[in-house]
Structure formats: structure tokens, C-alpha cells
Amino acid sequence: MARPKIALIGAGQIGGTLAHLAAMKELGDVVLFDIAEGTPEGKALDISQSGPSEGFDATLKGTQSYADIAGADVCIVTAGVPRKPGMSRDDLLGINLKVMKSVGEGIRDHAPNAFVICITNPLDAMVWALREFSGLPHAKVCGMAGVLDSARFRHFLAEEFNVSMKDVTAFVLGGHGDTMVPLTRYSTVGGIPLPDLVSMGWTTQEKLDAIVQRTRDGGAEIVAHLKTGSAFYAPATSAIEMAEAYLKDQKRVLPCAAYVDGALGLNGMYVGVPTVIGAGGVERVVDIQMSADEQAMFDNSVNAVKGLVEACKGIDGSLS
Ligand code: A3D
């Protein structure tokens, strides 16, 4: 059986890391596409030359031609610009919307059967636009944000409790922005929900609140350190986790920006929700119950995403 084909649209910081991870994990052959001439070719060759030491079998190709992504099983989209210090994700909307148009059309014409994972910010609006421009089924187009935001939350919690992060689960829902919703009631250490750990004296409510806020600001904290771009190692790892769930039909329960029509009181929009990812793409949206407080935070986040989608429609009249 031929190896799966993984197309990476955007060969920048995240794109290059995705290519390296996909090759090291032998998820398939990799095509790196970018408009910047030389960048995808150089990264493909460089990563290929790590193969003999690492011992992986995967071919990598860099290209400026969409024809080379033909028949891709997975497309991961990072094309666009990242933010710099002082910018919010939403400041990227105008420029990245134009990029989503060309990428969506490229995928529509050359890889219409792919499972598409968007990473470009502002995430929830960009995945919506990418789906509109590509015309692919909703279940085959989703966005990576929740896995990353949850991983950040899990990392901070594991540090606070001095336990293995393997035993920390977390769910961060809503839009990928300042309004994201880390759900403490659905986040656990060894199955024990965080509010119970507060009662048990493992931490205080104040410390937990601070960790929740640090999670919300997790991207900005890294932008402030790097100064010239945003996080790329953990975002790439998170998207690879989703791609692997699809390629291996793992039925992983992962938070991602998925199309929600009916669940969680939503009627046809993309936002971060718990999902099941398997060979069918986003096979299920997990329709969790929220408390009044959680619902209010989620609604606030949903409204922020709706505002960005409306802004997209205002910029590109072909979107409705
Ligand atoms: P960067 O290293 O600048 O790479 C982006 C690449 O896209 C560059 O190589 C560009 O040449 C390329 N590009 C620009 N326009 C096009 C086009 N029309 N077609 C193809 N390629 C194009 O950025 P990065 O890899 O650090 O980040 C990529 C995106 O991911 C940004 O929008 C970030 O804001 C976003 N991001 C999202 C998360 C989430 O959790 C959702 C996390 C981190 C970054």
C-alpha cells in the first residue's frame, strides 16, 4: 500500500516543524508548498538529509505548484502571517483571509478528498473561510487550537501539581483568542476534577485562576519572548496529533475548531468544541453540559467568533 500523502500549505516556522515531525513519525510522504521560492525546497532537502540518522522512510518535496499536492490525504494549512508583539490574532484577519482564498481554491482543485487542518489565525474565522473557499465537506475541514490551548493548560497544571503531564487532562473550548474557555470542571489529574483538587488543598482557587489566565495568554507570552513571530513547536505537535488520529482512525477525543450544527446550542458555525477524530474526519461533536458560568463564557467566545466571521463577509463579498 502506498504511503499516505501529507501536504503542508505554508512552509514557515510551523510548516517546517510539521514536515520534520511527519517524517520522523513516518506518517507519510510530505509535500511542502509555499509562495516563497526556495523555502519549501530548502526545508524539504534539509529534513530529507536527517533521514539517514533518524532512520525514517519518507520522501519530502518542496514546491510552489499546487499540482504537487494532488491526491493529498491530509492538508495542514499554516499559510499567512503570524502576529508580532503588540498584535492580536484578530489583527491578521484582512491579510490572512486573502491567503485562505487562494489556499482553499488550491485544495478544492487538487486535493478535494483531503482531511484539512487549518492553523492560520485568527483561527476560527479562517477555518470557516477556508471551508467556504474550498467547498469541502464540513467534517473534513477543521482547525487546530484546542489541542494546543489544552496542552498549555496541562503543562502549567502538571508544573503546579508536580505530577506527570501524562496524568493531566484538560479541555479548553471556545474561540482561539482572549475569550477562550478553559473548563476546570472537565480538567482532571488522574481523573480528579480541578475543583476537587482545590478542596483537597492541592492548590488554591487564586493559583488556579492565575493558571487559567496564563493559558489564555499562552500565545502572547511566547510572542513576547520571540519578538519576531509566534509559537511553532507545540502548534505543530498539536496538529500532527490530529492528523495521526485521522490517518490511523484512532477516534481520538480532541478539542478542535469544528463545524457545529445542533450541538451545544449552536446552529452552523466553527468554534472550539470537543470532537471525535477518526477516518471520517470530525466524526462527532461531543455535546457537553455546561454550568451557567461556563455557558456565559462560552457564549461570549462564540459571539467574538461570530464578529470575526461577519468581518470576513464585509471584506470578501463572495462569502455569505
Ligand atoms: P511563518 O513562519 O511566517 O510561515 C507562514 C508561511 O506562509 C510563510 O513561509 C509564507 O511565505 C507563507 N505564505 C504566505 N502567503 C502564502 C500563500 N498565499 N500561499 C502559501 N504560503 C503562503 O508563520 P508561522 O508558521 O509561525 O505561523 C503560521 C500561522 O499560524 C500564522 O497565521 C499564525 O498566527 C498561526 N498560528 C496559529 C496557532 C494556533 O494555535 C491556531 C498557533 C501559532 C501560530
Side-chain angles (χ1 to χ4, degrees):
M1 199 195 293
R3 293 177 201 142
K5 180 167 173 176
I6 299 164
L8 306 174
I9 317 295
Q13 295 284 59
I14 303 178
T17 312
L18 285 167
H20 200 191
L21 287 170
M24 296 225 317
K25 291 168 88 69
E26 293 190 325
L27 291 185
D29 291 333
V30 176
V31 175
L32 274 156
F33 173 98
D34 202 294
I35 52 167
E37 212 169 305
T39 302
E41 289 85 349
K43 290 195 179 184
L45 189 57
D46 189 11
I47 295 168
S48 298
Q49 292 168 357
S50 73
S53 301
E54 192 56 43
F56 60 71
D57 288 310
T59 63
L60 293 103
K61 176 176 184 162
T63 185
Q64 276 81 50
S65 167
Y66 271 109
D68 286 321
I69 74 163
D73 299 287
V74 170
C75 291
I76 308 181
V77 178
T78 59
V81 293
R83 59 188 170 146
K84 300 206 165 58
M87 289 173 88
S88 85
R89 296 176 179 94
D90 301 356
D91 294 334
L92 306 171
L93 188 123
I95 184 160
N96 284 349
L97 182 63
K98 288 197 192 79
V99 175
M100 290 307 100
K101 186 172 171 64
S102 62
V103 174
E105 291 169 355
I107 293 173
R108 177 196 68 196
D109 294 344
H110 298 278
N113 297 319
F115 178 53
V116 180
I117 303 169
C118 180
I119 306 184
T120 302
N121 272 321
L123 191 269
D124 305 82
M126 291 302 102
V127 66
W128 171 80
L130 186 64
R131 208 303 308 173
E132 293 292 309
F133 290 130
S134 69
L136 267 60
H138 286 104
K140 298 293 282 294
V141 182
C142 66
M144 186 296 295
V147 175
L148 172 64
D149 296 328
S150 301
R152 286 178 172 152
F153 196 24
R154 288 170 66 191
H155 165 68
F156 297 143
L157 290 168
E159 265 191 346
E160 165 65 8
F161 296 128
N162 195 23
V163 297
S164 166
M165 51 190 95
K166 287 184 201 142
D167 299 319
V168 181
T169 67
F171 257 123
V172 180
L173 306 183
H176 180 62
D178 300 339
T179 60
M180 72 178 78
V181 187
L183 284 181
T184 54
R185 230 162 37 90
Y186 285 112
S187 303
T188 72
V189 174
I192 306 165
L194 297 183
D196 292 10
L197 291 167
V198 173
S199 307
M200 289 157 59
W202 274 43
T203 188
T204 62
Q205 190 59 48
E206 290 69 31
K207 281 187 178 171
L208 187 53
D209 291 345
I211 288 173
V212 164
Q213 193 54 43
R214 191 175 177 198
T215 301
R216 287 201 181 103
D217 298 336
E221 185 175 353
I222 291 175
V223 170
H225 282 302
L226 295 179
K227 294 180 186 67
T228 53
S230 53
F232 53 99
Y233 291 113
T237 311
S238 304
I240 288 290
E241 195 176 350
M242 293 167 66
E244 191 168 14
Y246 172 76
L247 289 168
K248 298 184 179 171
D249 193 21
Q250 289 172 331
K251 316 276 187 212
R252 293 286 312 278
V253 181
L254 297 171
C256 75
Y259 186 72
V260 194
D261 195 13
L264 294 127
L266 300 176
N267 295 317
M269 69 175 288
Y270 273 93
V271 70
V273 289
T275 66
V276 177
I277 298 182
V282 176
E283 297 183 347
R284 244 189 297 169
V285 170
V286 184
D287 196 3
I288 55 166
Q289 301 287 315
M290 283 186 264
S291 69
D293 282 357
E294 291 162 351
Q295 188 70 51
M297 284 193 287
F298 187 68
D299 290 348
N300 183 35
S301 194
V302 162
N303 287 334
V305 173
K306 283 182 178 167
L308 290 175
V309 167
E310 287 309 310
C312 290
K313 291 178 184 171
I315 293 169
D316 187 320
S318 72
L319 294 166
S320 54

